[in-house]
Amino acid sequence: MQETAIADATSRRLAVVATAIRSVALTFFFALVTVTAVELITRKSTDATLTFLTTYAQPGWTTCGLFFLALLALDALIGRQHKAILVLGPLAILLALISEQKQIFLTDPLYPTDLLFGRQIMELMPALVRDRPWTAVAIVIGSLTAAGALISLWVFAWKRFRQLNLRQRAVRLAVAVPLLAGFGSILDYNQFSEIRDRLQVFPIMWDQTENYRHNGFMLAFAINVPMANVKAPAGYSPDAIDHINQDPLPAGTSHRSKPDVIVVMSESLWDPTKLTSVKLSPDPMPLIRKSESGAIFSPEFGGLTANVEFEALTGFSNAFLPTGSIPYQQYVRDPIPSLATFFRGEGYTARAIHPFAGWFWNRTSVYKSFGFETFKTEETMPPMTKRGIFASDEALTKELIRQADAQQDPFFFFTVTLQGHGPYEATRYAKNTIKVEGNLPYADRQVLSTYAQGVKEADDSLKMLMDWAKNRDRETIIVVFGDHLPPLNTVYTSAGYMNDITAARRGPVEQMKREHETPLIVWSNKAGVRQDIGTISPALLPYHILKEAGYEHPYYTGFLGRVQERYDIIDRYQLIRHDGTATQDWSRKKNVDPLVRDYRFLQHDIMFGKRRGLDRFFPAHAGVVGAAS
């Protein structure tokens, strides 16, 4: 009897152990399947996925292990085994699908910060649906099918997956939570970790394509979570700020007569005639071409307008911020010096104008922080004629002129157009007047024709604005530039203009300029077109605006003037000098040009530090902000 009882007890213990092993093995299998699915979606390559999961040089098994621990912990919290996979699995796959779509249109994979502007994506959904209706139908059907399948699985799991007792839940938490917390503590890419290196996890923040390729989507996404926490660059200190040289302002500087200044950031404005394998007739942008002063080297492609806007208004650079970050969403919380605060300090009215919702890109809050007195949006302006779902450039220009004519004091207007926004559906215009000839697929010709028609109307609107300015007594300076190349998708590859449907983030200078240059016009109704500015980063635009207006300033013409004397382009991956020579991966080198180092120090001091350099470099800022509060 006793032997039988012992045998039964042993048998039960073995059965419990076997059940536990099967449960753990099944959980790991779920982790492996999910990681494999995510990598197949984001890499779009079976071979690359297998390499990621089978080579020691990449953290494939580390990723599986971490996901396994996350499943164990969530199962314990839910109180039922294997339920966690129905939460984490669909979530991981959904993020992977979103990342894959983002790469199609914008080059970059999904970053954690992208989740901050999901509302923007939803607002643009009607245009996306019109551009790719069958894709939209497939997504809707797929989403409904997936939702139905997930609900069925939840019902099945609730009936079949057994409950975990308190001891089992405690064991899972005791194993999983410390290990996950420990890994989280070594994830900060600013700190070296030998354990992280042994696990083959290498944060490659300077090259996010390689970061996601090497570490896989899930780990790279997690590594980027702390990107909103910007740490001081090495060597930054109050003394370092005090030692930045400030050029004295020229004696007897003349402002002439305080000219009015209108800056127009034209959505996706680019020269489509650069597609030399096709012919556009007539020329869609004769006035823009005739009036070009140079070009803007956009740090973005196809989207992320707010990052270009940030540089153009502040004179600060995205090159000194974490890859994938969006200053408008993450960093602009307190008053920051900008062209608006400068002009207000000179007695100007400073106004921002954009024919869309004020919350888009967080502009209402950001413009207030930048010192604009008012921000006119679609909610506060008269209804405008549309092109598709977007306000037309013609209607916006007429409204801009109406508001300018109502001003008594000198004014600084910053305007962001909307008509040029993609996608470029064939039905946007009643008639496309630009003929496209060349060996392009029919769908690409339609896209290019629609885009070129928008460029023509942008050119016509510029003519309207210039003709109005020519009849004014007060000097009026008009600055127009494109924020980035348009998302023309396969037009670029079909025409042989680019190797991919999105621009490269790094490459030879000639390639980078070809894939990132947009038109720049600096024109005055008294002096005409300003010539030979060259190709510049948006952050250098304030220097040229103030020089054209006849002003001097410690930062915008003084410090940025020194930067412009040496560099045309300050990019995250390269610095390009006047002579076209480039310093690749400059931020990873031991010795950084002291001028660039000081630029980075000063920007960090104003945006994240104690603002020790504020009074010296932005003397009008405190007075403008204080008067407004």
Side-chain angles (χ1 to χ4, degrees):
M1 293 284 293
Q2 186 177 0
E3 291 178 355
T4 302
I6 293 173
D8 289 344
T10 302
S11 178
R12 284 194 297 272
R13 281 195 294 271
L14 289 173
V16 169
V17 171
T19 301
I21 291 174
R22 283 197 301 270
S23 177
V24 169
L26 185 56
T27 299
F28 188 82
F29 173 75
F30 286 148
L32 175 61
V33 169
T34 303
V35 172
T36 302
V38 165
E39 294 303 319
L40 281 171
I41 291 168
T42 55
R43 294 175 187 271
K44 293 182 282 190
S45 167
T46 303
D47 289 342
T49 300
L50 288 175
T51 299
F52 175 71
L53 291 170
T54 58
T55 179
Y56 172 74
Q58 288 181 265
W61 287 105
T62 299
T63 306
C64 291
L66 290 168
F67 200 76
F68 165 71
L69 292 173
L71 290 175
L72 285 182
L74 189 55
D75 276 342
L77 294 174
I78 294 174
R80 197 176 288 262
Q81 66 177 0
H82 308 318
K83 287 293 289 291
I85 188 61
L86 300 180
V87 177
L88 296 184
L91 178 60
I93 290 173
L94 176 62
L95 292 176
L97 288 168
I98 295 172
S99 182
E100 188 265 342
Q101 286 296 303
K102 184 190 173 192
Q103 285 182 288
I104 289 176
F105 290 101
L106 299 176
T107 303
D108 289 333
L110 185 72
Y111 300 122
T113 50
D114 293 331
L115 304 180
L116 294 173
F117 57 95
R119 189 178 173 190
Q120 279 92 318
I121 296 173
M122 295 308 297
E123 282 287 325
L124 296 176
M125 194 59 69
L128 296 173
V129 169
R130 274 203 292 269
D131 182 57
R132 301 169 69 187
W134 290 112
T135 300
V137 169
I139 290 173
V140 170
I141 294 174
S143 299
L144 291 174
T145 302
L150 188 59
I151 292 171
S152 298
L153 284 172
W154 267 93
V155 173
F156 174 84
W158 195 259
K159 293 178 179 179
R160 301 295 182 90
F161 292 179
R162 68 182 181 84
Q163 286 186 309
L164 299 172
N165 59 41
L166 289 177
R167 181 176 178 278
Q168 290 169 327
R169 297 171 72 177
V171 169
R172 279 169 165 77
L173 290 173
V175 171
V177 172
L179 289 174
L180 288 171
F183 184 81
S185 70
I186 63 172
L187 206 57
D188 185 355
Y189 53 80
N190 290 293
Q191 303 294 328
F192 172 76
S193 169
E194 185 175 352
I195 296 175
R196 191 178 64 207
D197 278 8
R198 292 288 181 89
L199 293 173
Q200 302 301 311
V201 179
F202 304 129
I204 310 172
M205 307 312 290
W206 58 90
D207 185 348
Q208 287 292 344
T209 300
E210 180 62 17
N211 190 28
Y212 277 72
R213 187 205 67 79
H214 173 82
N215 294 305
F217 173 77
M218 297 168 73
L219 268 181
F221 188 85
I223 289 168
N224 280 315
V225 168
M227 72 167 59
N229 180 25
V230 180
K231 295 194 174 181
Y236 169 78
S237 68
D239 286 344
I241 297 298
D242 290 343
H243 281 91
I244 295 175
N245 182 43
Q246 177 191 341
D247 295 338
L249 296 181
T253 297
S254 171
H255 298 167
R256 303 198 298 271
S257 60
K258 290 195 174 183
D260 292 329
V261 179
I262 299 173
V263 178
V264 179
M265 186 170 72
S266 186
E267 174 63 47
S268 298
L269 179 64
W270 176 67
D271 182 358
T273 66
K274 289 186 175 183
L275 300 170
T276 55
S277 63
V278 300
K279 181 182 178 182
L280 302 179
S281 56
D283 182 357
M285 47 181 286
L287 180 60
I288 293 174
R289 194 182 317 286
K290 176 184 175 183
S291 307
E292 276 191 86
S293 304
I296 289 292
F297 183 91
S298 176
E300 304 297 347
F301 172 86
L304 294 176
T305 297
N307 283 358
V308 184
E309 189 176 324
F310 164 77
E311 290 200 14
L313 282 173
T314 64
F316 294 151
S317 176
N318 288 287
F320 306 137
L321 298 172
T323 304
S325 61
I326 305 167
Y328 274 26
Q329 299 283 2
Q330 298 156 296
Y331 308 135
V332 182
R333 295 292 181 266
D334 300 314
I336 289 181
S338 74
L339 286 177
T341 54
F342 165 77
F343 279 112
R344 285 184 62 191
E346 295 292 331
Y348 281 62
T349 294
R351 177 176 298 172
I353 302 168
H354 180 51
F356 207 59
W359 57 261
F360 203 79
W361 287 125
N362 199 31
R363 282 190 173 104
T364 296
S365 174
V366 168
Y367 286 158
K368 184 177 180 181
S369 295
F370 281 176
F372 284 100
E373 293 167 287
T374 54
F375 174 29
K376 296 294 186 179
T377 68
E378 66 175 354
E379 296 97 341
T380 57
M381 290 188 292
M384 295 186 184
T385 304
K386 300 289 183 72
R387 297 289 188 268
I389 65 170
F390 303 121
S392 73
D393 285 355
E394 178 186 19
L396 177 61
T397 302
K398 288 179 179 178
E399 174 62 17
L400 182 64
I401 291 171
R402 186 189 70 79
Q403 293 189 35
D405 284 339
Q407 299 299 312
Q408 297 297 321
D409 296 328
F411 61 83
F412 166 63
F413 282 179
F414 179 77
T415 306
V416 183
T417 73
L418 197 57
Q419 179 177 335
H421 205 294
Y424 305 102
E425 68 279 5
T427 57
R428 180 174 298 190
Y429 301 100
K431 181 181 179 182
N432 287 359
T433 61
I434 306 299
K435 186 178 180 182
V436 178
E437 298 177 288
N439 188 23
L440 281 182
Y442 176 74
D444 286 342
R445 287 205 307 274
Q446 279 196 318
V447 167
L448 183 56
S449 177
T450 296
Y451 175 72
Q453 182 66 29
V455 172
K456 177 193 181 300
E457 297 197 11
D459 194 80
D460 292 342
S461 296
L462 176 61
K463 183 178 186 305
M464 181 194 305
L465 190 62
M466 284 183 170
D467 288 345
W468 163 80
K470 288 174 184 176
N471 294 319
R472 304 188 80 219
D473 292 332
R474 181 183 289 169
E475 181 176 7
T476 305
I477 295 170
I478 296 173
V479 178
V480 179
F481 66 98
D483 53 351
H484 50 68
L485 268 69
L488 296 179
N489 209 294
T490 53
V491 170
Y492 292 118
T493 50
S494 298
Y497 189 76
M498 297 193 312
N499 295 327
D500 206 345
I501 61 174
T502 54
R505 291 293 184 185
R506 56 201 306 153
V509 172
E510 297 77 16
Q511 177 190 1
M512 296 304 291
K513 285 189 174 183
R514 184 171 67 251
E515 299 181 3
H516 289 270
E517 279 186 345
T518 66
L520 168 63
I521 297 162
V522 178
W523 176 89
S524 164
N525 64 345
K526 303 298 183 185
V529 176
R530 186 174 177 196
Q531 302 287 345
D532 302 325
I533 290 179
T535 300
I536 62 170
S537 288
L540 296 175
L541 191 55
Y543 165 77
H544 293 281
I545 292 173
L546 264 62
K547 293 297 285 187
E548 181 66 21
Y551 288 101
E552 299 289 344
H553 182 266
Y555 179 77
Y556 291 120
T557 61
F559 186 83
L560 283 187
R562 296 206 305 275
V563 174
Q564 177 69 100
E565 285 174 3
R566 191 172 304 176
Y567 295 102
D568 286 336
I569 296 169
I570 310 293
D571 183 61
R572 182 172 277 111
Y573 301 113
Q574 59 187 338
L575 303 172
I576 301 179
R577 292 176 176 262
H578 279 313
D579 61 6
T581 59
T583 303
Q584 302 284 346
D585 294 326
W586 61 269
S587 62
R588 298 176 58 198
K589 298 184 185 300
K590 247 182 194 178
N591 298 316
V592 176
D593 183 343
L595 179 62
V596 177
R597 177 204 62 201
D598 289 349
Y599 190 2
R600 189 175 193 174
F601 284 172
L602 188 53
Q603 176 173 322
H604 184 87
D605 179 63
I606 300 301
M607 291 187 66
F608 309 106
K610 300 295 185 182
R611 301 192 164 193
R612 192 175 181 92
L614 187 64
D615 290 340
R616 279 203 303 139
F617 288 95
F618 301 95
H621 177 76
V624 170
V625 172
S629 60

